[in-house]
Amino acid sequence: MLRFLPLKLGRLYRCLKLLLVVGLFVILLMNTHNLFASFQKNELTDRRFINLNKCPACFGTSWCRKFMNGQVSFETWGRLRFLDVFNVKNVYFAQYGEPREGTRRVVLKRLGSNQELAEIDQKICKRATGRPRCDLIQAMYKTEFARINGDVRLLTPEVVEGWSDLVHCPSQRLLDRVVRRYAETKDSGSFLLKNLKDTERMQLLMTLAFNPEPLVLQAFVYRLNPVRIRQGVIWARLPSFGCPRWMEALVERGEEREEEEERRVFSFPSDEGWPFAKYLGACGRMVAVNYVGEELWSFYNAPWEKRVDLARQLMDIAEQLTNNDFEFALYLLDVSFDNFAVGPRDGKVIVVDAENVLVADKRLIKQNKPENYDVWYESRFEECDREACLSFSKDSLCSRVTVDHNYYAVCQNLLSRYATWRGTTGGLLHDPPAHIAKDGQLEALLDECTKPKKRYGRFQASKELREYLTQLAAASSSATASREDHVFHRLSQCSLAEWYKSAAHTALINGLGAVDTDKKRESGGERKTVSGCDCPSVSAEFIPDETEADAAEVVIVSVV
């Protein structure tokens, strides 16, 4: 009898698989009409689909013209609505097109699951009418979102404190920054609430209460570095509005210089260096942000040199968000591999999920001097049976000047052997080369950063870990650096002053000598051969950046 048991189980397993396949086929057959309709219709032009009909109980309207004009459309799989059951977070990939700039990839977010969005509707209705269902638009005018009207001069901390992580302990300076940089109004730039329309104020406040991620991205803008030198290739990201419009930049012996023009081409200051994805706009309850690149998890098994560089950048982000010239500490309360992405061209790590970011104003803490404000705060390591879990006290983050939370979060959930994600352990720096593993320094620093044995040990360990990772990254790129030095040595042999003259705004860098007007089309870009004085010949290529509408890449493809 027992001999036939495995055989029966095997048959049962095959039958279940067959039933599953048949069931999926039946569902597909029943939805054939909807399937074809999904490919033919752009649902992002439907006011109800993007919940534009629920405004002002929405996130904004700045991109509505682009949505309604059909400039934004789902990519292939995003058009299949029956797949939404697997898309719990309501995050979609789409293509956004401008007539003169072509198309590029963007990310669309509803900022919550369907259940969470339904719950916010119920809360609005209950606060206004006492019932879970109501006319949402009329109900909004009876909530606290509408009571803060044009007669109120400023958005003050006592009104919004505790609404979300962003304003768990807000300062007036932070709220003024949020209002001044609010992108869903045409007259941005003022911190006075009276300069916002009633609907804009309600949209701002609802976003602040429900999911403040768009406000974080607006208040702390990502910087575009105009010139970078990487892997033997000199490239620049330059503004291109409609037609190529070259930014003036100067590269001399590998040094970099930015021109003021780079700062003038954006609605908000772009020279602060915050590592967040770029906010684009919203329509109804659909928010559009810049597509950065593949998620960090995709690089879990990348070559060691790449993982070292990513780890170094993650530690730099932890340091930058903790200590900066603006005296705002941005603490990441949700740190996982899915919340970071890596740029495909520059390899830069960017935070792509900023919903759970607590902002503490260090300047205010120093001014008010709460109890133990100057005592260093150490986050406690705790064993956890879940993935990407952290232990912290929001009140302590809000009342201490010196805090190690970001170092702890990055080390524990991303880098160290304690990091677990999707059933995998070992962290981003798993399986180091034999000579590094034998040395033991990396493992010791990661352990001290995650689970410190000494008092305040994490502060010192994180500093030493950043330095050590920088050394490892520098060592792995020594061959590349040698190539770059050779290129710049050759370019520096001639008079740079002569090299940067004539035809300045149509060449690679401001004034690269004579420009060959015989333009060629290669690799989707506009290639120009540039030479000057006795310098080596340089071939340059203009390639519009698919991830940035206002950016392009200029690459020196050869030095002869």
PDB file of all heavy atoms in Angstrom, residues 25-56:
ATOM      1  N   PHE A  25      -6.354  29.458 -18.533  1.00  0.00           N
ATOM      2  CA  PHE A  25      -6.793  29.566 -19.921  1.00  0.00           C
ATOM      3  C   PHE A  25      -8.237  30.052 -19.997  1.00  0.00           C
ATOM      4  O   PHE A  25      -8.580  30.900 -20.840  1.00  0.00           O
ATOM      5  CB  PHE A  25      -6.654  28.213 -20.622  1.00  0.00           C
ATOM      6  CG  PHE A  25      -7.103  28.226 -22.061  1.00  0.00           C
ATOM      7  CD1 PHE A  25      -6.300  28.806 -23.042  1.00  0.00           C
ATOM      8  CD2 PHE A  25      -8.322  27.682 -22.427  1.00  0.00           C
ATOM      9  CE1 PHE A  25      -6.724  28.815 -24.373  1.00  0.00           C
ATOM     10  CE2 PHE A  25      -8.746  27.690 -23.749  1.00  0.00           C
ATOM     11  CZ  PHE A  25      -7.939  28.271 -24.724  1.00  0.00           C
ATOM     12  N   VAL A  26      -9.103  29.522 -19.113  1.00  0.00           N
ATOM     13  CA  VAL A  26     -10.512  29.939 -19.101  1.00  0.00           C
ATOM     14  C   VAL A  26     -10.626  31.416 -18.737  1.00  0.00           C
ATOM     15  O   VAL A  26     -11.385  32.173 -19.364  1.00  0.00           O
ATOM     16  CB  VAL A  26     -11.317  29.073 -18.117  1.00  0.00           C
ATOM     17  CG1 VAL A  26     -12.728  29.647 -17.923  1.00  0.00           C
ATOM     18  CG2 VAL A  26     -11.401  27.644 -18.616  1.00  0.00           C
ATOM     19  N   ILE A  27      -9.856  31.843 -17.717  1.00  0.00           N
ATOM     20  CA  ILE A  27      -9.887  33.255 -17.324  1.00  0.00           C
ATOM     21  C   ILE A  27      -9.422  34.145 -18.467  1.00  0.00           C
ATOM     22  O   ILE A  27     -10.011  35.188 -18.747  1.00  0.00           O
ATOM     23  CB  ILE A  27      -8.994  33.470 -16.087  1.00  0.00           C
ATOM     24  CG1 ILE A  27      -9.592  32.748 -14.866  1.00  0.00           C
ATOM     25  CG2 ILE A  27      -8.811  34.950 -15.794  1.00  0.00           C
ATOM     26  CD1 ILE A  27      -8.711  32.787 -13.646  1.00  0.00           C
ATOM     27  N   LEU A  28      -8.353  33.709 -19.150  1.00  0.00           N
ATOM     28  CA  LEU A  28      -7.841  34.474 -20.280  1.00  0.00           C
ATOM     29  C   LEU A  28      -8.869  34.544 -21.401  1.00  0.00           C
ATOM     30  O   LEU A  28      -9.067  35.582 -22.033  1.00  0.00           O
ATOM     31  CB  LEU A  28      -6.544  33.840 -20.790  1.00  0.00           C
ATOM     32  CG  LEU A  28      -5.768  34.612 -21.864  1.00  0.00           C
ATOM     33  CD1 LEU A  28      -5.309  35.948 -21.330  1.00  0.00           C
ATOM     34  CD2 LEU A  28      -4.569  33.795 -22.331  1.00  0.00           C
ATOM     35  N   LEU A  29      -9.564  33.409 -21.625  1.00  0.00           N
ATOM     36  CA  LEU A  29     -10.574  33.361 -22.682  1.00  0.00           C
ATOM     37  C   LEU A  29     -11.751  34.273 -22.358  1.00  0.00           C
ATOM     38  O   LEU A  29     -12.269  34.986 -23.226  1.00  0.00           O
ATOM     39  CB  LEU A  29     -11.063  31.917 -22.859  1.00  0.00           C
ATOM     40  CG  LEU A  29     -11.872  31.611 -24.135  1.00  0.00           C
ATOM     41  CD1 LEU A  29     -11.004  31.830 -25.365  1.00  0.00           C
ATOM     42  CD2 LEU A  29     -12.387  30.187 -24.081  1.00  0.00           C
ATOM     43  N   MET A  30     -12.148  34.280 -21.083  1.00  0.00           N
ATOM     44  CA  MET A  30     -13.268  35.122 -20.671  1.00  0.00           C
ATOM     45  C   MET A  30     -12.930  36.601 -20.753  1.00  0.00           C
ATOM     46  O   MET A  30     -13.817  37.448 -20.900  1.00  0.00           O
ATOM     47  CB  MET A  30     -13.690  34.763 -19.236  1.00  0.00           C
ATOM     48  CG  MET A  30     -14.297  33.376 -19.090  1.00  0.00           C
ATOM     49  SD  MET A  30     -14.597  32.947 -17.368  1.00  0.00           S
ATOM     50  CE  MET A  30     -15.800  34.197 -16.928  1.00  0.00           C
ATOM     51  N   ASN A  31     -11.632  36.909 -20.649  1.00  0.00           N
ATOM     52  CA  ASN A  31     -11.215  38.310 -20.671  1.00  0.00           C
ATOM     53  C   ASN A  31     -10.568  38.697 -21.998  1.00  0.00           C
ATOM     54  O   ASN A  31      -9.864  39.696 -22.066  1.00  0.00           O
ATOM     55  CB  ASN A  31     -10.227  38.578 -19.529  1.00  0.00           C
ATOM     56  CG  ASN A  31     -10.897  38.570 -18.166  1.00  0.00           C
ATOM     57  OD1 ASN A  31     -11.419  39.575 -17.697  1.00  0.00           O
ATOM     58  ND2 ASN A  31     -10.885  37.414 -17.523  1.00  0.00           N
ATOM     59  N   THR A  32     -10.826  37.893 -23.041  1.00  0.00           N
ATOM     60  CA  THR A  32     -10.189  38.178 -24.329  1.00  0.00           C
ATOM     61  C   THR A  32     -10.550  39.566 -24.840  1.00  0.00           C
ATOM     62  O   THR A  32      -9.697  40.328 -25.298  1.00  0.00           O
ATOM     63  CB  THR A  32     -10.601  37.120 -25.367  1.00  0.00           C
ATOM     64  OG1 THR A  32     -10.187  35.840 -24.905  1.00  0.00           O
ATOM     65  CG2 THR A  32      -9.945  37.409 -26.716  1.00  0.00           C
ATOM     66  N   HIS A  33     -11.853  39.904 -24.740  1.00  0.00           N
ATOM     67  CA  HIS A  33     -12.282  41.227 -25.209  1.00  0.00           C
ATOM     68  C   HIS A  33     -11.587  42.329 -24.421  1.00  0.00           C
ATOM     69  O   HIS A  33     -11.075  43.298 -24.998  1.00  0.00           O
ATOM     70  CB  HIS A  33     -13.799  41.353 -25.076  1.00  0.00           C
ATOM     71  CG  HIS A  33     -14.319  42.710 -25.456  1.00  0.00           C
ATOM     72  ND1 HIS A  33     -14.363  43.160 -26.765  1.00  0.00           N
ATOM     73  CD2 HIS A  33     -14.780  43.730 -24.675  1.00  0.00           C
ATOM     74  CE1 HIS A  33     -14.845  44.385 -26.790  1.00  0.00           C
ATOM     75  NE2 HIS A  33     -15.108  44.761 -25.538  1.00  0.00           N
ATOM     76  N   ASN A  34     -11.566  42.164 -23.094  1.00  0.00           N
ATOM     77  CA  ASN A  34     -10.899  43.169 -22.248  1.00  0.00           C
ATOM     78  C   ASN A  34      -9.408  43.227 -22.532  1.00  0.00           C
ATOM     79  O   ASN A  34      -8.783  44.283 -22.437  1.00  0.00           O
ATOM     80  CB  ASN A  34     -11.136  42.860 -20.770  1.00  0.00           C
ATOM     81  CG  ASN A  34     -12.596  42.990 -20.392  1.00  0.00           C
ATOM     82  OD1 ASN A  34     -13.331  43.757 -21.023  1.00  0.00           O
ATOM     83  ND2 ASN A  34     -13.005  42.256 -19.366  1.00  0.00           N
ATOM     84  N   LEU A  35      -8.848  42.067 -22.884  1.00  0.00           N
ATOM     85  CA  LEU A  35      -7.414  42.007 -23.157  1.00  0.00           C
ATOM     86  C   LEU A  35      -7.062  42.849 -24.375  1.00  0.00           C
ATOM     87  O   LEU A  35      -6.155  43.670 -24.346  1.00  0.00           O
ATOM     88  CB  LEU A  35      -6.998  40.552 -23.377  1.00  0.00           C
ATOM     89  CG  LEU A  35      -5.497  40.275 -23.532  1.00  0.00           C
ATOM     90  CD1 LEU A  35      -4.765  40.627 -22.246  1.00  0.00           C
ATOM     91  CD2 LEU A  35      -5.255  38.821 -23.883  1.00  0.00           C
ATOM     92  N   PHE A  36      -7.838  42.660 -25.451  1.00  0.00           N
ATOM     93  CA  PHE A  36      -7.585  43.449 -26.656  1.00  0.00           C
ATOM     94  C   PHE A  36      -7.894  44.927 -26.421  1.00  0.00           C
ATOM     95  O   PHE A  36      -7.202  45.805 -26.916  1.00  0.00           O
ATOM     96  CB  PHE A  36      -8.414  42.906 -27.822  1.00  0.00           C
ATOM     97  CG  PHE A  36      -7.880  41.628 -28.402  1.00  0.00           C
ATOM     98  CD1 PHE A  36      -8.529  40.428 -28.215  1.00  0.00           C
ATOM     99  CD2 PHE A  36      -6.686  41.630 -29.131  1.00  0.00           C
ATOM    100  CE1 PHE A  36      -8.030  39.248 -28.742  1.00  0.00           C
ATOM    101  CE2 PHE A  36      -6.178  40.454 -29.654  1.00  0.00           C
ATOM    102  CZ  PHE A  36      -6.851  39.256 -29.465  1.00  0.00           C
ATOM    103  N   ALA A  37      -8.948  45.180 -25.652  1.00  0.00           N
ATOM    104  CA  ALA A  37      -9.319  46.567 -25.370  1.00  0.00           C
ATOM    105  C   ALA A  37      -8.223  47.266 -24.562  1.00  0.00           C
ATOM    106  O   ALA A  37      -7.951  48.448 -24.755  1.00  0.00           O
ATOM    107  CB  ALA A  37     -10.643  46.608 -24.607  1.00  0.00           C
ATOM    108  N   SER A  38      -7.560  46.511 -23.667  1.00  0.00           N
ATOM    109  CA  SER A  38      -6.496  47.087 -22.850  1.00  0.00           C
ATOM    110  C   SER A  38      -5.340  47.567 -23.703  1.00  0.00           C
ATOM    111  O   SER A  38      -4.717  48.588 -23.415  1.00  0.00           O
ATOM    112  CB  SER A  38      -6.001  46.058 -21.828  1.00  0.00           C
ATOM    113  OG  SER A  38      -7.025  45.711 -20.925  1.00  0.00           O
ATOM    114  N   PHE A  39      -5.042  46.831 -24.774  1.00  0.00           N
ATOM    115  CA  PHE A  39      -3.939  47.224 -25.641  1.00  0.00           C
ATOM    116  C   PHE A  39      -4.321  48.396 -26.544  1.00  0.00           C
ATOM    117  O   PHE A  39      -3.472  49.164 -26.969  1.00  0.00           O
ATOM    118  CB  PHE A  39      -3.480  46.032 -26.479  1.00  0.00           C
ATOM    119  CG  PHE A  39      -2.581  45.095 -25.735  1.00  0.00           C
ATOM    120  CD1 PHE A  39      -3.067  43.912 -25.208  1.00  0.00           C
ATOM    121  CD2 PHE A  39      -1.240  45.407 -25.545  1.00  0.00           C
ATOM    122  CE1 PHE A  39      -2.230  43.043 -24.512  1.00  0.00           C
ATOM    123  CE2 PHE A  39      -0.400  44.545 -24.863  1.00  0.00           C
ATOM    124  CZ  PHE A  39      -0.893  43.363 -24.345  1.00  0.00           C
ATOM    125  N   GLN A  40      -5.606  48.503 -26.853  1.00  0.00           N
ATOM    126  CA  GLN A  40      -6.048  49.544 -27.770  1.00  0.00           C
ATOM    127  C   GLN A  40      -6.316  50.867 -27.066  1.00  0.00           C
ATOM    128  O   GLN A  40      -6.138  51.934 -27.640  1.00  0.00           O
ATOM    129  CB  GLN A  40      -7.309  49.080 -28.505  1.00  0.00           C
ATOM    130  CG  GLN A  40      -7.065  47.891 -29.433  1.00  0.00           C
ATOM    131  CD  GLN A  40      -8.363  47.371 -30.030  1.00  0.00           C
ATOM    132  OE1 GLN A  40      -9.458  47.782 -29.645  1.00  0.00           O
ATOM    133  NE2 GLN A  40      -8.245  46.450 -30.967  1.00  0.00           N
ATOM    134  N   LYS A  41      -6.742  50.828 -25.824  1.00  0.00           N
ATOM    135  CA  LYS A  41      -7.139  52.034 -25.102  1.00  0.00           C
ATOM    136  C   LYS A  41      -6.055  52.478 -24.144  1.00  0.00           C
ATOM    137  O   LYS A  41      -5.442  51.663 -23.456  1.00  0.00           O
ATOM    138  CB  LYS A  41      -8.435  51.763 -24.329  1.00  0.00           C
ATOM    139  CG  LYS A  41      -8.937  52.968 -23.530  1.00  0.00           C
ATOM    140  CD  LYS A  41     -10.172  52.604 -22.726  1.00  0.00           C
ATOM    141  CE  LYS A  41     -10.643  53.779 -21.883  1.00  0.00           C
ATOM    142  NZ  LYS A  41     -11.818  53.425 -21.051  1.00  0.00           N
ATOM    143  N   ASN A  42      -5.820  53.776 -24.083  1.00  0.00           N
ATOM    144  CA  ASN A  42      -4.900  54.346 -23.098  1.00  0.00           C
ATOM    145  C   ASN A  42      -5.714  54.745 -21.878  1.00  0.00           C
ATOM    146  O   ASN A  42      -6.356  55.800 -21.841  1.00  0.00           O
ATOM    147  CB  ASN A  42      -4.176  55.556 -23.682  1.00  0.00           C
ATOM    148  CG  ASN A  42      -3.133  56.116 -22.718  1.00  0.00           C
ATOM    149  OD1 ASN A  42      -2.971  55.622 -21.602  1.00  0.00           O
ATOM    150  ND2 ASN A  42      -2.433  57.148 -23.142  1.00  0.00           N
ATOM    151  N   GLU A  43      -5.683  53.880 -20.863  1.00  0.00           N
ATOM    152  CA  GLU A  43      -6.515  54.115 -19.682  1.00  0.00           C
ATOM    153  C   GLU A  43      -6.068  55.319 -18.871  1.00  0.00           C
ATOM    154  O   GLU A  43      -6.815  55.810 -18.032  1.00  0.00           O
ATOM    155  CB  GLU A  43      -6.518  52.854 -18.805  1.00  0.00           C
ATOM    156  CG  GLU A  43      -7.239  51.685 -19.436  1.00  0.00           C
ATOM    157  CD  GLU A  43      -7.232  50.461 -18.551  1.00  0.00           C
ATOM    158  OE1 GLU A  43      -6.142  49.904 -18.350  1.00  0.00           O
ATOM    159  OE2 GLU A  43      -8.310  50.066 -18.070  1.00  0.00           O
ATOM    160  N   LEU A  44      -4.865  55.794 -19.110  1.00  0.00           N
ATOM    161  CA  LEU A  44      -4.382  56.957 -18.370  1.00  0.00           C
ATOM    162  C   LEU A  44      -5.034  58.254 -18.840  1.00  0.00           C
ATOM    163  O   LEU A  44      -4.772  59.317 -18.274  1.00  0.00           O
ATOM    164  CB  LEU A  44      -2.856  57.056 -18.496  1.00  0.00           C
ATOM    165  CG  LEU A  44      -2.087  55.918 -17.819  1.00  0.00           C
ATOM    166  CD1 LEU A  44      -0.593  56.052 -18.077  1.00  0.00           C
ATOM    167  CD2 LEU A  44      -2.351  55.915 -16.311  1.00  0.00           C
ATOM    168  N   THR A  45      -5.859  58.182 -19.865  1.00  0.00           N
ATOM    169  CA  THR A  45      -6.650  59.342 -20.275  1.00  0.00           C
ATOM    170  C   THR A  45      -8.051  59.304 -19.652  1.00  0.00           C
ATOM    171  O   THR A  45      -8.854  60.214 -19.874  1.00  0.00           O
ATOM    172  CB  THR A  45      -6.784  59.400 -21.806  1.00  0.00           C
ATOM    173  OG1 THR A  45      -7.459  58.223 -22.267  1.00  0.00           O
ATOM    174  CG2 THR A  45      -5.409  59.473 -22.468  1.00  0.00           C
ATOM    175  N   ASP A  46      -8.335  58.254 -18.889  1.00  0.00           N
ATOM    176  CA  ASP A  46      -9.645  58.080 -18.250  1.00  0.00           C
ATOM    177  C   ASP A  46      -9.620  58.766 -16.883  1.00  0.00           C
ATOM    178  O   ASP A  46      -8.857  58.377 -15.996  1.00  0.00           O
ATOM    179  CB  ASP A  46      -9.950  56.592 -18.104  1.00  0.00           C
ATOM    180  CG  ASP A  46     -11.345  56.329 -17.546  1.00  0.00           C
ATOM    181  OD1 ASP A  46     -11.965  57.267 -17.015  1.00  0.00           O
ATOM    182  OD2 ASP A  46     -11.808  55.176 -17.635  1.00  0.00           O
ATOM    183  N   ARG A  47     -10.458  59.765 -16.708  1.00  0.00           N
ATOM    184  CA  ARG A  47     -10.481  60.533 -15.456  1.00  0.00           C
ATOM    185  C   ARG A  47     -10.781  59.647 -14.252  1.00  0.00           C
ATOM    186  O   ARG A  47     -10.220  59.855 -13.172  1.00  0.00           O
ATOM    187  CB  ARG A  47     -11.530  61.653 -15.547  1.00  0.00           C
ATOM    188  CG  ARG A  47     -11.222  62.707 -16.603  1.00  0.00           C
ATOM    189  CD  ARG A  47     -12.417  63.637 -16.789  1.00  0.00           C
ATOM    190  NE  ARG A  47     -12.738  64.334 -15.552  1.00  0.00           N
ATOM    191  CZ  ARG A  47     -12.231  65.508 -15.196  1.00  0.00           C
ATOM    192  NH1 ARG A  47     -11.373  66.126 -15.999  1.00  0.00           N
ATOM    193  NH2 ARG A  47     -12.584  66.076 -14.066  1.00  0.00           N
ATOM    194  N   ARG A  48     -11.646  58.669 -14.420  1.00  0.00           N
ATOM    195  CA  ARG A  48     -12.011  57.806 -13.297  1.00  0.00           C
ATOM    196  C   ARG A  48     -10.876  56.841 -12.959  1.00  0.00           C
ATOM    197  O   ARG A  48     -10.662  56.511 -11.786  1.00  0.00           O
ATOM    198  CB  ARG A  48     -13.296  57.037 -13.608  1.00  0.00           C
ATOM    199  CG  ARG A  48     -14.511  57.928 -13.823  1.00  0.00           C
ATOM    200  CD  ARG A  48     -15.783  57.105 -13.981  1.00  0.00           C
ATOM    201  NE  ARG A  48     -16.107  56.398 -12.747  1.00  0.00           N
ATOM    202  CZ  ARG A  48     -16.788  56.925 -11.738  1.00  0.00           C
ATOM    203  NH1 ARG A  48     -17.199  58.179 -11.801  1.00  0.00           N
ATOM    204  NH2 ARG A  48     -17.066  56.205 -10.672  1.00  0.00           N
ATOM    205  N   PHE A  49     -10.163  56.368 -13.970  1.00  0.00           N
ATOM    206  CA  PHE A  49      -9.088  55.412 -13.718  1.00  0.00           C
ATOM    207  C   PHE A  49      -7.978  56.058 -12.890  1.00  0.00           C
ATOM    208  O   PHE A  49      -7.413  55.423 -11.996  1.00  0.00           O
ATOM    209  CB  PHE A  49      -8.523  54.894 -15.035  1.00  0.00           C
ATOM    210  CG  PHE A  49      -7.396  53.907 -14.862  1.00  0.00           C
ATOM    211  CD1 PHE A  49      -7.664  52.588 -14.528  1.00  0.00           C
ATOM    212  CD2 PHE A  49      -6.070  54.300 -15.008  1.00  0.00           C
ATOM    213  CE1 PHE A  49      -6.636  51.678 -14.345  1.00  0.00           C
ATOM    214  CE2 PHE A  49      -5.038  53.400 -14.833  1.00  0.00           C
ATOM    215  CZ  PHE A  49      -5.314  52.080 -14.502  1.00  0.00           C
ATOM    216  N   ILE A  50      -7.657  57.303 -13.179  1.00  0.00           N
ATOM    217  CA  ILE A  50      -6.594  57.974 -12.414  1.00  0.00           C
ATOM    218  C   ILE A  50      -7.168  58.758 -11.232  1.00  0.00           C
ATOM    219  O   ILE A  50      -6.440  59.484 -10.551  1.00  0.00           O
ATOM    220  CB  ILE A  50      -5.774  58.922 -13.310  1.00  0.00           C
ATOM    221  CG1 ILE A  50      -6.664  59.986 -13.944  1.00  0.00           C
ATOM    222  CG2 ILE A  50      -5.042  58.144 -14.381  1.00  0.00           C
ATOM    223  CD1 ILE A  50      -5.893  60.980 -14.801  1.00  0.00           C
ATOM    224  N   ASN A  51      -8.488  58.595 -10.993  1.00  0.00           N
ATOM    225  CA  ASN A  51      -9.178  59.212  -9.858  1.00  0.00           C
ATOM    226  C   ASN A  51      -9.129  60.737  -9.886  1.00  0.00           C
ATOM    227  O   ASN A  51      -9.121  61.391  -8.834  1.00  0.00           O
ATOM    228  CB  ASN A  51      -8.606  58.705  -8.529  1.00  0.00           C
ATOM    229  CG  ASN A  51      -8.915  57.242  -8.283  1.00  0.00           C
ATOM    230  OD1 ASN A  51      -8.121  56.531  -7.658  1.00  0.00           O
ATOM    231  ND2 ASN A  51     -10.033  56.747  -8.780  1.00  0.00           N
ATOM    232  N   LEU A  52      -9.093  61.301 -11.073  1.00  0.00           N
ATOM    233  CA  LEU A  52      -9.160  62.754 -11.189  1.00  0.00           C
ATOM    234  C   LEU A  52     -10.517  63.270 -10.720  1.00  0.00           C
ATOM    235  O   LEU A  52     -10.635  64.411 -10.250  1.00  0.00           O
ATOM    236  CB  LEU A  52      -8.898  63.176 -12.636  1.00  0.00           C
ATOM    237  CG  LEU A  52      -8.871  64.678 -12.937  1.00  0.00           C
ATOM    238  CD1 LEU A  52      -7.819  65.383 -12.098  1.00  0.00           C
ATOM    239  CD2 LEU A  52      -8.621  64.913 -14.418  1.00  0.00           C
ATOM    240  N   ASN A  53     -11.534  62.423 -10.824  1.00  0.00           N
ATOM    241  CA  ASN A  53     -12.882  62.796 -10.391  1.00  0.00           C
ATOM    242  C   ASN A  53     -12.990  62.950  -8.878  1.00  0.00           C
ATOM    243  O   ASN A  53     -13.997  63.460  -8.375  1.00  0.00           O
ATOM    244  CB  ASN A  53     -13.895  61.742 -10.872  1.00  0.00           C
ATOM    245  CG  ASN A  53     -13.597  60.358 -10.310  1.00  0.00           C
ATOM    246  OD1 ASN A  53     -12.462  59.898 -10.358  1.00  0.00           O
ATOM    247  ND2 ASN A  53     -14.609  59.681  -9.782  1.00  0.00           N
ATOM    248  N   LYS A  54     -11.948  62.535  -8.131  1.00  0.00           N
ATOM    249  CA  LYS A  54     -11.977  62.649  -6.674  1.00  0.00           C
ATOM    250  C   LYS A  54     -11.275  63.897  -6.155  1.00  0.00           C
ATOM    251  O   LYS A  54     -11.244  64.133  -4.948  1.00  0.00           O
ATOM    252  CB  LYS A  54     -11.356  61.403  -6.038  1.00  0.00           C
ATOM    253  CG  LYS A  54     -12.162  60.131  -6.287  1.00  0.00           C
ATOM    254  CD  LYS A  54     -11.622  58.956  -5.491  1.00  0.00           C
ATOM    255  CE  LYS A  54     -12.512  57.727  -5.705  1.00  0.00           C
ATOM    256  NZ  LYS A  54     -12.060  56.564  -4.893  1.00  0.00           N
ATOM    257  N   CYS A  55     -10.674  64.659  -7.042  1.00  0.00           N
ATOM    258  CA  CYS A  55     -10.006  65.887  -6.611  1.00  0.00           C
ATOM    259  C   CYS A  55     -11.038  66.869  -6.035  1.00  0.00           C
ATOM    260  O   CYS A  55     -12.169  66.931  -6.526  1.00  0.00           O
ATOM    261  CB  CYS A  55      -9.283  66.542  -7.785  1.00  0.00           C
ATOM    262  SG  CYS A  55      -7.787  65.681  -8.290  1.00  0.00           S
ATOM    263  N   PRO A  56     -10.697  67.592  -4.961  1.00  0.00           N
ATOM    264  CA  PRO A  56      -9.359  67.824  -4.406  1.00  0.00           C
ATOM    265  C   PRO A  56      -8.874  66.767  -3.418  1.00  0.00           C
ATOM    266  O   PRO A  56      -7.850  66.988  -2.770  1.00  0.00           O
ATOM    267  CB  PRO A  56      -9.519  69.176  -3.723  1.00  0.00           C
ATOM    268  CG  PRO A  56     -10.941  69.173  -3.262  1.00  0.00           C
ATOM    269  CD  PRO A  56     -11.708  68.458  -4.316  1.00  0.00           C
TER     270      PRO A  56
END
